Amino acid sequence: MPDAFFTSSKNRKRKRTTDAAGPSSLKKAARKGVQQNGVRKQAKKKRDEELDSDETDGDGANIDDMDLRAPSDEEDAVEDDDDPDETPAEKRLRLAQLYLDSVKQGLSLADGEFDAAEIDRELISARLKQDVLEHAGKVHLFVADSFDLSEPPTTILRTKTAKAPVTCAVATESGKYLFTSGKDGSITKWDLVSAKKLAMFPAQNKIKGKGKAPAIDIRGHTDQVLALALSGDGRYLASGGKDRRLIIWDVESNQLVKGFSGPLCHKDSISALAFRKGTNQLYSGSLDRTVKVYDMSPNVMGYVETLFGHQDNIVDLDALRNETCVSVGARDKTVRYWKIIDETQLVFRGGGKSRIREVLEGGLADDNQEKSGVVQKFVEGSLECVTMIDETNFLSGGDSGSISLWTTQKKKPVFTQALFGNEGVIKTPRWITALGSLRYSDVFASDTLWKLDPKLRSFSLMGTIPAMGIVNSLQFVSPPKEFFQKAADPTKEGPSTGRWLNVGKGWNRALVVALSPH
């Protein structure tokens, strides 16, 4: 026999209660209900180890055998013989049916609305395929060949010439509203259907004197507005600028919802904003070299964290559905791919090579090509803009006039279109000041339209859209059937960040055009 010293007095197994607290069928149903929830089942095992086998409630029934779920209308269904015995396959089928019902409701497909049920099935099938491909995070819309740019596209809206240059613009995904901002600190709301001005968010008076601490009572911007972004549901508009304020506006009521300044905001001008697609998670970039993350859910509306890494001003950033974003750091000549959950970043270094390195790598051959007029190189001193094509591929542009295609699998660009816009008596490159892409597709734009290769290895010129001036921001929108596909294109006489370049014939306005597939 084992020694009594090593024998535990605690029973290893639970004793079954012999007193009948209720019908056995009720206990059976409760146990089946517990088995359907894996978390509740694990919690039950843990409690079984901690509770003494002889402990019962006042009525004599074991607390672990009781169904502690809140009563609901489905209680009768749970007690039914079919629901407790639901197999995993049947559960998946039931959830799929609920999803289809929600999709049908979202598409406004009422029963009997169409004579043929096949129309409903085709629409739902297309929607399901689109959802699956978007969650996969890969390019799946190859629509570049469907556009005919032999003739100028139709102009939907051309705002009146503003006194202050237009710095940025953003449109809702539904194609209902357009918001523009300028160097005067105001934000204008436009109706894209009627092409009328709906509202204006005026600027506050600037704080004068040496003590320029941010005011506690935030009612608007006091300086130039440099960035705008709309939440995934189109409910909130975020704005930021040189006054170091981040302001959240209600799109429908045109009211200020929340303002951030001081420790919870940036220490320098806010130059870029982007919402994570389909969510209320906001990313902001600043000239203080940091990226900040905010949660703009109605019940939170707060700051989350700060990301460090850039060695120069952050001038642009972009984000899609995953919890990642990309940013460019101007003269540090890097594109950084931020993984928010992992708290890591991938660094992609752009810019041209130094003269010494070119000589070591065969620069004499390059000199011969330059003399013959075949190749001409310029050193890229700054990266100015970035846009995401899908979750792993993105584009960047800089002051050398070149556009680079990147993938997260390689540290070097996959393809570079060098020296686009090289013009003038003295051959100098023209800046790439803005990039925009039709999400998850093979179309993107700078000051011209481009078509991506199906394998995402290169891109080629697709067409041009006439717009006088310097393009400060670009956006593609895919509205419902009643709208055409639109690209918001604000142009102005000078760049948004106030550099020395000025175009006398430029437009201080926002331009919206429709690209209709043939």
Side-chain angles (χ1 to χ4, degrees), residues 14 17 21-23 26-35 40 44 47-48 51 55-70:
R14 288 181 53 208
T17 56
L26 180 61
K27 295 183 181 180
K28 183 177 181 181
R31 285 196 298 271
K32 290 182 178 180
V34 172
Q35 290 177 358
R40 190 178 292 123
K44 177 181 175 181
R47 288 195 303 268
D48 289 344
L51 292 176
E55 285 187 356
T56 58
D57 58 353
D59 297 335
N62 195 308
I63 190 173
D64 294 325
D65 293 333
M66 296 175 62
D67 191 356
L68 301 179
R69 291 173 295 178

Side-chain angles (χ1 to χ4, degrees), residues 204-215 222-223 244-245:
Q204 278 188 303
N205 295 329
K206 293 185 179 180
I207 303 174
K208 297 182 180 180
K210 295 183 179 180
K212 295 185 178 180
T222 60
D223 210 332
R244 299 171 292 173
R245 292 181 176 181

Side-chain angles (χ1 to χ4, degrees), residues 456-487:
L456 301 181
R457 296 297 180 184
S458 64
F459 53 86
S460 58
L461 185 63
M462 180 178 165
T464 59
I465 298 176
M468 296 295 296
I470 296 173
V471 181
N472 282 329
S473 66
L474 283 162
Q475 181 189 6
F476 281 88
V477 179
S478 299
K481 296 180 181 179
E482 59 268 21
F483 294 92
F484 288 101
Q485 184 178 342
K486 307 175 184 69

Side-chain angles (χ1 to χ4, degrees), residues 25-88:
S25 60
L26 180 61
K27 295 183 181 180
K28 183 177 181 181
R31 285 196 298 271
K32 290 182 178 180
V34 172
Q35 290 177 358
Q36 292 179 359
N37 191 328
V39 177
R40 190 178 292 123
K41 184 176 180 180
Q42 293 177 0
K44 177 181 175 181
K45 288 184 177 180
K46 186 175 181 180
R47 288 195 303 268
D48 289 344
E49 295 175 359
E50 295 177 354
L51 292 176
D52 188 36
S53 61
D54 294 334
E55 285 187 356
T56 58
D57 58 353
D59 297 335
N62 195 308
I63 190 173
D64 294 325
D65 293 333
M66 296 175 62
D67 191 356
L68 301 179
R69 291 173 295 178
S72 62
D73 297 337
E74 300 178 355
E75 185 175 357
D76 298 336
V78 173
E79 293 181 357
D80 193 5
D81 294 338
D82 296 334
D83 290 341
D85 298 333
E86 185 180 29
T87 63

Side-chain angles (χ1 to χ4, degrees), residues 187-209:
I187 302 173
T188 307
K189 179 181 178 182
W190 304 84
D191 187 348
L192 286 180
V193 178
S194 61
K196 294 182 179 180
K197 182 188 297 185
L198 297 179
M200 176 176 285
F201 310 148
Q204 278 188 303
N205 295 329
K206 293 185 179 180
I207 303 174
K208 297 182 180 180

Side-chain angles (χ1 to χ4, degrees), residues 144-394:
D145 294 332
S146 63
F147 297 110
D148 184 11
L149 298 177
S150 58
E151 298 181 358
T154 305
T155 301
I156 299 297
L157 173 65
R158 181 180 293 167
T159 62
K160 294 182 180 180
T161 302
K163 295 181 181 179
V166 180
T167 55
C168 55
V170 64
T172 58
E173 292 293 335
S174 62
K176 186 177 181 181
Y177 301 124
L178 171 70
F179 294 89
T180 61
S181 64
K183 285 193 173 182
D184 58 356
S186 63
I187 302 173
T188 307
K189 179 181 178 182
W190 304 84
D191 187 348
L192 286 180
V193 178
S194 61
K196 294 182 179 180
K197 182 188 297 185
L198 297 179
M200 176 176 285
F201 310 148
Q204 278 188 303
N205 295 329
K206 293 185 179 180
I207 303 174
K208 297 182 180 180
K210 295 183 179 180
K212 295 185 178 180
I216 298 176
D217 185 14
I218 298 178
R219 299 180 182 178
H221 288 283
T222 60
D223 210 332
Q224 303 174 14
V225 178
L226 302 177
L228 294 174
L230 280 164
S231 60
D233 55 2
R235 182 177 177 182
Y236 297 120
L237 171 71
S239 61
K242 293 189 68 175
D243 57 0
R244 299 171 292 173
R245 292 181 176 181
L246 174 62
I247 301 180
I248 308 300
W249 308 85
D250 189 281
V251 171
E252 295 295 336
S253 64
N254 305 326
Q255 298 297 319
L256 189 148
V257 178
K258 181 85 173 183
F260 295 89
S261 63
L264 297 180
C265 201
H266 291 279
K267 298 179 181 179
D268 207 336
S269 301
I270 299 175
S271 55
L273 293 170
F275 273 96
R276 179 184 167 197
K277 184 177 175 63
T279 69
N280 289 321
Q281 187 170 353
L282 176 65
Y283 306 107
S284 65
S286 171
L287 302 188
D288 64 2
R289 309 176 187 177
T290 64
V291 175
K292 290 187 181 293
V293 185
Y294 296 88
D295 186 356
M296 294 305 173
S297 302
N299 57 344
V300 179
M301 282 287 175
Y303 161 81
V304 178
E305 62 176 326
T306 302
L307 309 177
F308 299 90
H310 278 290
Q311 303 302 311
D312 198 21
N313 302 335
I314 297 176
V315 291
D316 196 13
L317 60 83
D318 197 13
L320 283 179
R321 187 178 296 274
N322 288 349
E323 204 162 350
T324 57
C325 68
V326 293
S327 60
V328 288
R331 294 195 177 277
D332 71 359
K333 294 181 285 188
T334 63
V335 183
R336 294 180 185 259
Y337 184 91
W338 305 90
K339 298 181 180 180
I340 309 300
I341 298 179
D342 299 338
E343 297 183 353
T344 58
Q345 56 181 289
L346 301 178
V347 182
F348 303 88
R349 302 192 180 277
K353 298 178 180 179
S354 65
R355 186 62 179 168
I356 297 177
R357 182 173 293 276
E358 287 185 356
V359 172
L360 295 176
E361 295 180 358
L364 295 177
D366 294 339
D367 289 340
N368 295 332
Q369 290 180 344
E370 290 181 7
K371 291 179 181 180
S372 63
V374 178
V375 177
Q376 189 175 7
K377 293 185 178 181
F378 289 93
V379 176
E380 189 171 46
S382 174
L383 292 180
E384 299 291 326
C385 50
V386 67
T387 185
M388 296 189 73
I389 303 171
D390 57 20
E391 302 296 349
T392 57
N393 296 276
F394 51 91

